[in-house]
Amino acid sequence: MTDDKGQDSDFEKIREDVVHIEEDLRKELHHHNLFPLIAGGLAVFFLMTSMVVAMPFMFYTATPSSIAHEYTPLEAEGRSLYTSLGCFYCHSQFNRPTDWATGNTSQAGDYVYDQPHTLGTERTGPDLAQIGGQRPTIWHELHYRDPRSVSPSSVMPNFGFLSDEQIEALIAYIQYEGGKNLETENFQPQVPSNYQNASNPFMSLMMEVAMDYNASSQEYTGDPLLGDNWADIFNDGKQLFTEKCLACHGCSGNGQGPYARHVLTRPANLNERIMNYPGDYFHFWRLSEGVPGTAMPRWMLSLNETTRWKIATYEMSFVLGAIRTISGDVSDTEGDVFANSTKITPPINGTQQEFEEGQSIFLLYCAQCHGATGQGDGPTSITSPGGYISPEPANFTESGGDFPVYGRYVWKVQEGVETTNMPPWKFALSDEEIFNVIFFIQSFSTPEDYNAKWAPQYADPFAQNLMR
Amino acid sequence: MLYTHFQVILHTMSVKLVNQFDEADKIAKYWFMFSMLWFPVFTTFGFILAIKFFYPTFLVDAEWTTFGRLRPAHVNGALFGIVSSGLLGAMFYIVPRLSARPLYKPTLARVTPFLWNIAVLSGIIMIILGNTQAREYAELPWIIDVGVMITLGIMAYVILGTIMMRREHKLYVSLWFFAGTMLWFPIVYFIGNVMWNPPTGALEGVIDAIFGWYYGHNVLGLWFTTLGIGVWYYFIPRISNRSLYSNTLSLISFFAIAFFYTGVGGHHLLQAPIPEWLKTVAVITTALMMVSVLTFAVNIGMTLRNSWHQIITNMPLRFIVFGFICYIFVSIQGSFQGLRSTNLYLHFSQWPVGHAHLALLGAFAFTAVGVTFWLVPRITGKKLYSDRLMSVTWWLGFTGFIFFMSGMTVAGIVANSAWAQHMTVASALPMLQPHFIVRAIGGGVIVVAAYIFAYTIIRTFLSKPPVNTITAPNQEMVVKSQ
């Protein structure tokens, strides 16, 4: 029995030892296993976190860029709508260097007033970083209420549930994205510095003669010498315009010359465009350097500076009207002198074919001002709504007395009319085209007038019987 | 019969047979219930969003049904509702077993699934009503962030406590990852959500984007990935009954993740005006993520050698291994699309959306579903309601996912190539429509699978336990005196 007891106690002792050893071993294992993993894992985590988060936070500051601005209360309200409606899930707000035609590459300084950021991650819709001013305000309103009414391929939800005030706020935010203000003259690109100080050398002369000119009575009462100077410059500019510009911009500057249909980007409507130019220097820059992406050439390569200024000066008449320092009588007299010296009669027979050619030339070139029915009421004539060509173009219906002889027609068409927008067509049309178009224009006169004056001058029965 | 006798004997001895993992399993069960409930709900949200891409006037009459509100609801619901709940359930199951001890502070731990899911649900309701912080992945309002932080704190306390006081000598690799996650993620969450600035939860300017994407990518890298890897390291060897191939490879992947993954956030901003050196750090760490991914892939792949046939016979393993394969795919895809040149081409389209779904749906949600299918019968001691429905879930989920994923990826490439040719965004949209429709069809099939999954699991919970069988045959029993 005692042996048994001794054996038992020995066994207990051994078991206790084993338990101790086991516990020691466990402790050791715990320390060796968990600590280095946790410490190492945290160390590398903090190292990287301090690099990618703490370092930018402490050392990276952006100064506000030219397009950054503090939000007005209305814009701030619009921005909070933008974020709470989740617009940024589909619209990113940064232009990348590779992006095309959406504005300048975004810089950190553009975003200094944004909290939270709305850079976005997707372009289900277009990028909005610099959307401001790219579309009219009414467009945005229609777009929010029914996106597909203005952008047919859009998959944007309708935001018709927004109140008018909310839509106004949203538009305020969107229109100022990119920091553009919406003043019309600021829609223009930046003019290079070497053009910023360019000024029109003929401007002072123009101002002087303009002061002595009454546009409604078409009377010039100023110094005749100055008037002649002006007429020279104006007519030089007009001739150059006829030679260089008319083919695309049209004789009335409305951008609908005969070549307009052949170019992808429509030629400028000079009346609209020049009216919105920030100044002469801008006009001169466009004229000199051309317009990238259009057929507008760099005229500085073929014309000298004075010549370019003369063209620019002439083109001003598409906005302000021509200053008629030389009265219409001068042109009539010159025409009569020409008629008497040449005794000119129609060099064409007056066939139907000639008539139709004349008609097509008239519609292509002349109808812009004189109107398709020859009443001086073309779309650009001052007598039409929205028209600007002043003094008003001739009305051929009432002009029986205006053209007593054929030579006056030929003179006025070939040489133009001084200090008006009637161009010297000899620089744009052939003689034959001019004769054909005169034949067509004569058909606007009253039958008595035509039969008395013009019908006998033509050999062909078509012309003789045209108005009978 | 034998078991009944055994119980009678134990009863007379006034002791009771107790499973030492009961408490942890109960908590895991709650997590799985939430995950299962959210699955159909938030995938339905996603389906509605997919429809809106080709039927834009669908559900636009009220603010809260517009795309901008449903999208964050879907994303947060899927991330923190579906996937987090599933993976956390698995974690609560795994950690006590690998530590060979009951869960530390089980009563405290029991509040976590409820606190977390109530916080997430109320946060999503707030987002839908327009109260959002408007930072992608970090939309939850500040007060919800506080709830999430408290839950994370409790979980860290419980899980780290369990691991520290474990009875098992060895510290299995899954435990490293869970311990790491519990330490890293609360910090990531706090910094990324800018929680010291409650009114907006944001900073001013591009710094906010840097913080936002530090969080945005690490919610994936130091939360889903590290939880998921812990789950794969446990369940793939466990279900396929193979021992892990290499501890050294695990060690490499662990430290590679902790170091490299932390820095990749900047690759979301590669063409944005953030400091160039930060982009370089992001690109380098993104590329070096391959170290972690390939070591993990080799480790699991070698563990499964000669055992791949089990994914044919074992349906839950099939889900989990599919998740593992998707994780490898998405990581390699991620490393390549995070390079400057590829990112320049692929950014902004539906391609990255596909990438995100490959990770969260393909890799982690499939894994969570597999784990749920495998564990719920074991935790509850009930037989799975229907093996056939589990099979239907797989085939619908898998087929749907293929169409879903390819729809988005192709839509992305089409859009990217159109933009590269200087087409405008709006003019390229009509070309994407067929792919949007394919995406919605695939997504719709996945939603059907989600409902079948939820139905199967609910019926399993509701079924009666079989009588006279030992509740959990493969679990350790200990005798605890009453």
Side-chain angles (χ1 to χ4, degrees):
Chain A
M1 287 296 273
T2 47
D3 275 10
D4 277 1
K5 271 185 181 170
Q7 244 180 358
D8 271 0
S9 60
D10 284 352
F11 190 68
E12 281 295 320
K13 202 165 175 272
I14 291 164
R15 227 174 70 174
E16 272 173 27
D17 285 351
V18 168
V19 168
H20 281 284
I21 291 164
E22 219 174 42
E23 272 176 6
D24 289 349
L25 193 64
R26 262 183 211 155
K27 275 179 193 162
E28 210 167 297
L29 280 169
H30 284 200
H31 283 287
H32 280 193
N33 266 335
L34 191 59
F35 181 73
L37 279 166
I38 294 301
L42 274 177
V44 292
F45 167 77
F46 276 120
L47 181 65
M48 191 53 92
T49 298
S50 62
M51 181 152 55
V52 299
V53 173
M55 272 168 57
F57 184 66
M58 290 188 293
F59 304 122
Y60 186 67
T61 49
T63 45
S65 69
S66 61
I67 67 170
H69 61 282
E70 296 217 46
Y71 294 105
T72 65
L74 189 67
E75 288 161 30
E77 192 198 328
R79 188 168 203 278
S80 79
L81 272 170
Y82 184 88
T83 52
S84 100
L85 290 170
C87 307
F88 62 94
Y89 290 113
C90 292
H91 295 283
S92 63
Q93 275 193 14
F94 60 102
N95 275 331
R96 306 178 293 173
T98 40
D99 287 336
W100 183 72
T102 45
N104 300 326
T105 302
S106 296
Q107 33 181 319
D110 300 351
Y111 303 100
V112 287
Y113 301 109
D114 290 3
Q115 185 180 14
H117 77 94
T118 42
L119 292 179
T121 48
E122 258 193 67
R123 281 187 185 167
T124 306
D127 189 276
L128 301 181
Q130 290 164 34
I131 189 72
Q134 292 193 6
R135 300 208 194 283
T137 293
I138 182 70
W139 188 94
H140 285 294
E141 189 179 339
L142 294 169
H143 186 237
Y144 296 150
R145 296 201 187 282
D146 181 9
R148 279 149 296 281
S149 67
V150 285
S151 176
S153 62
S154 164
V155 296
M156 185 165 117
N158 305 33
F159 288 95
F161 52 79
L162 293 180
S163 69
D164 289 351
E165 291 75 29
Q166 285 175 315
I167 288 203
E168 191 195 347
L170 204 49
I171 293 173
Y173 169 62
I174 285 295
Q175 285 289 41
Y176 280 79
E177 269 302 278
K180 293 183 201 69
N181 74 41
L182 301 181
E183 295 305 318
T184 320
E185 68 264 26
N186 290 326
F187 274 68
Q188 313 290 353
Q190 284 275 304
V191 178
S193 57
N194 53 333
Y195 284 95
Q196 273 169 5
N197 295 322
S199 68
N200 190 340
F202 308 116
M203 185 53 77
S204 56
L205 177 61
M206 188 168 110
M207 303 296 275
E208 267 181 87
V209 294
M211 278 200 295
D212 295 325
Y213 175 66
N214 183 338
S216 53
S217 64
Q218 296 178 22
E219 276 172 16
Y220 173 70
T221 50
D223 182 351
L225 199 64
L226 283 181
D228 287 348
N229 282 348
W230 169 249
D232 286 346
I233 290 157
F234 188 86
N235 286 343
D236 282 356
K238 182 161 71 174
Q239 179 189 329
L240 287 157
F241 181 86
T242 309
E243 288 171 339
K244 312 286 183 192
C245 320
L246 181 149
C248 291
H249 292 285
C251 55
S252 65
N254 67 351
Q256 290 179 16
Y259 286 1
R261 71 192 73 175
H262 300 301
V263 290
L264 278 176
T265 312
R266 271 193 50 196
N269 177 329
L270 297 174
N271 169 255
E272 277 175 16
R273 206 62 66 84
I274 294 171
M275 206 178 321
N276 290 321
Y277 280 160
D280 281 341
Y281 64 94
F282 193 99
H283 188 180
F284 186 66
W285 168 58
R286 279 304 199 207
L287 223 160
S288 301
E289 298 282 356
V291 182
T294 74
M296 175 73 178
R298 297 178 73 201
W299 289 110
M300 63 180 294
L301 299 179
S302 54
L303 302 174
N304 65 30
E305 197 176 327
T306 316
T307 322
R308 281 178 269 141
W309 274 120
K310 281 181 177 168
I311 295 179
T313 308
Y314 172 69
E315 285 176 347
M316 295 296 285
S317 68
F318 295 133
V319 180
L320 308 168
I323 303 162
R324 195 168 200 182
T325 57
I326 307 289
S327 81
D329 304 340
V330 176
S331 170
D332 289 349
T333 318
E334 286 168 351
D336 293 344
V337 171
F338 171 74
N340 289 332
S341 64
T342 55
K343 306 275 187 240
I344 189 167
T345 54
I348 54 172
N349 286 330
T351 60
Q352 184 173 358
Q353 194 192 347
E354 285 158 349
F355 182 81
E356 282 165 3
E357 275 172 20
Q359 181 179 32
S360 67
I361 299 273
F362 182 85
L363 293 177
L364 189 58
Y365 290 96
C366 321
Q368 291 180 6
C369 302
H370 294 286
T373 53
Q375 297 191 330
D377 59 351
T380 61
S381 164
I382 190 81
T383 60
S384 296
Y388 50 87
I389 292 296
S390 164
E392 79 272 8
N395 177 343
F396 298 120
T397 309
E398 67 174 32
S399 66
D402 290 345
F403 293 99
V405 285
Y406 186 75
R408 200 191 271 194
Y409 259 130
V410 176
W411 178 260
K412 287 201 174 195
V413 176
Q414 278 186 336
E415 303 295 334
V417 179
E418 288 99 336
T419 59
T420 73
N421 289 117
M422 177 68 180
W425 285 104
K426 65 181 179 186
F427 295 109
L429 300 176
S430 69
D431 284 350
E432 199 186 349
E433 285 169 326
I434 290 175
F435 297 137
N436 289 343
V437 83
I438 290 171
F439 175 33
F440 176 75
I441 289 169
Q442 285 167 342
S443 73
F444 291 127
S445 35
T446 56
E448 304 82 58
D449 215 34
Y450 179 84
N451 289 332
K453 281 196 286 191
W454 311 124
Q457 298 195 10
Y458 289 102
D460 197 88
F462 175 80
Q464 290 170 358
N465 299 323
L466 188 62
M467 306 290 269
R468 288 187 198 281
Chain B
M1 284 303 281
L2 185 69
Y3 178 69
T4 323
H5 278 285
F6 191 42
Q7 268 189 329
V8 169
I9 295 162
L10 289 172
H11 187 72
T12 51
M13 287 163 67
S14 138
V15 288
K16 193 184 162 197
L17 187 66
V18 179
N19 179 350
Q20 62 167 329
F21 303 128
D22 259 358
E23 284 293 348
D25 288 356
K26 210 175 280 172
I27 296 163
K29 187 174 81 182
Y30 295 136
W31 281 114
F32 288 131
M33 284 167 78
F34 280 116
S35 172
M36 169 270 291
L37 281 176
W38 298 147
F39 214 115
V41 175
F42 290 118
T43 49
T44 304
F45 277 38
F47 183 52
I48 294 170
L49 296 173
I51 293 173
K52 282 166 174 282
F53 272 89
F54 57 88
Y55 181 20
T57 52
F58 179 59
L59 293 181
V60 290
D61 295 329
E63 265 173 62
W64 66 274
T65 55
T66 53
F67 186 90
R69 293 284 171 83
L70 286 187
R71 187 188 131 140
H74 163 69
V75 170
N76 283 283
L79 262 62
F80 299 111
I82 303 171
V83 181
S84 295
S85 294
L87 296 178
L88 288 171
M91 181 183 78
F92 275 99
Y93 176 87
I94 294 169
V95 169
R97 280 173 174 76
L98 289 179
S99 306
R101 58 152 290 149
L103 195 65
Y104 180 65
K105 303 276 183 196
T107 342
L108 194 56
R110 208 177 298 157
V111 303
T112 56
F114 298 98
L115 195 56
W116 177 278
N117 282 289
I118 289 166
V120 168
L121 184 64
S122 32
I124 288 170
I125 290 170
M126 288 167 88
I127 289 173
I128 284 183
L129 296 177
N131 186 355
T132 168
Q133 292 192 336
R135 297 161 87 239
E136 216 173 328
Y137 295 111
E139 287 98 345
L140 294 173
W142 184 79
I143 187 73
I144 301 299
D145 290 344
V146 172
V148 169
M149 279 302 284
I150 292 172
T151 323
L152 285 172
I154 298 174
M155 274 196 283
Y157 181 61
V158 170
I159 294 296
L160 290 171
T162 310
I163 297 174
M164 298 285 277
M165 295 176 207
R166 70 191 183 282
R167 298 210 181 101
E168 169 60 48
H169 297 191
K170 273 200 160 178
L171 193 63
Y172 183 68
V173 49
S174 293
L175 291 182
W176 314 348
F177 277 98
F178 292 135
T181 311
M182 290 301 134
L183 288 170
W184 297 320
F185 190 63
I187 304 167
V188 167
Y189 198 90
F190 183 81
I191 297 176
N193 276 284
V194 194
M195 283 182 64
W196 61 91
N197 188 10
T200 55
L203 298 167
E204 273 196 337
V206 290
I207 288 289
D208 187 51
I210 296 170
F211 273 64
W213 284 112
Y214 166 77
Y215 169 73
H217 209 107
N218 282 332
V219 71
L220 202 86
L222 297 178
W223 180 245
F224 295 114
T225 300
T226 45
L227 285 178
I229 286 181
V231 169
W232 286 313
Y233 267 135
Y234 179 82
F235 280 107
I236 290 179
R238 172 75 183 77
I239 300 178
S240 67
N241 206 16
R242 303 273 316 188
S243 58
L244 185 66
Y245 173 66
S246 161
N247 242 18
T248 316
L249 287 179
S250 326
L251 199 67
I252 297 171
S253 80
F254 177 79
F255 281 106
I257 281 195
F259 190 50
F260 299 138
Y261 228 141
T262 312
V264 300
H267 70 206
H268 291 256
L269 301 162
L270 283 184
Q271 298 98 43
I274 62 167
E276 287 298 312
W277 62 264
L278 194 57
K279 296 179 188 174
T280 306
V281 170
V283 170
I284 291 170
T285 49
T286 302
L288 285 173
M289 270 309 293
M290 294 286 275
V291 174
S292 145
V293 172
L294 293 180
T295 46
F296 173 64
V298 168
N299 211 355
I300 293 293
M302 292 301 278
T303 303
L304 274 172
R305 68 197 184 283
N306 294 334
S307 299
W308 286 94
H309 61 279
Q310 290 193 36
I311 65 170
I312 298 169
T313 51
N314 190 327
M315 191 63 77
L317 183 66
R318 191 188 296 176
F319 276 99
I320 296 170
V321 170
F322 179 75
F324 159 72
I325 292 170
C326 282
Y327 170 70
I328 302 307
F329 279 175
V330 79
S331 301
I332 293 171
Q333 185 193 29
S335 281
F336 278 101
Q337 87 188 37
L339 305 178
R340 281 181 191 256
S341 51
T342 40
N343 190 271
L344 184 62
Y345 188 77
L346 292 171
H347 203 51
F348 287 137
S349 74
Q350 294 292 315
W351 172 290
V353 186
H355 173 73
H357 282 88
L358 185 57
L360 284 155
L361 179 57
F364 300 117
F366 266 76
T367 303
V369 167
V371 170
T372 310
F373 273 136
W374 195 76
L375 275 189
V376 165
R378 279 166 177 76
I379 290 173
T380 57
K382 297 165 181 173
K383 205 175 162 309
L384 188 70
Y385 170 65
S386 163
D387 283 347
R388 171 160 285 259
L389 284 183
M390 175 162 64
S391 177
V392 170
T393 307
W394 161 261
W395 283 113
L396 288 180
F398 174 72
T399 325
F401 186 72
I402 297 300
F403 281 97
F404 178 66
M405 188 64 211
S406 52
M408 275 186 285
T409 305
V410 174
I413 298 172
V414 171
N416 287 131
S417 53
W419 301 341
Q421 294 165 57
H422 290 164
M423 277 181 79
T424 60
V425 172
S427 61
L429 272 173
M431 297 194 293
L432 310 182
Q433 196 157 5
H435 312 296
F436 286 156
I437 292 172
V438 169
R439 183 249 300 265
I441 292 171
V445 174
I446 294 172
V447 174
V448 173
Y451 279 96
I452 294 173
F453 161 70
Y455 176 74
T456 315
I457 299 299
I458 290 173
R459 288 299 295 258
T460 308
F461 276 128
L462 295 179
S463 65
K464 288 198 181 80
V467 280
N468 289 348
T469 53
I470 295 172
T471 48
N474 57 357
Q475 287 170 2
E476 280 180 63
M477 299 286 173
V478 291
V479 176
K480 187 179 172 188
S481 77
Q482 274 180 329

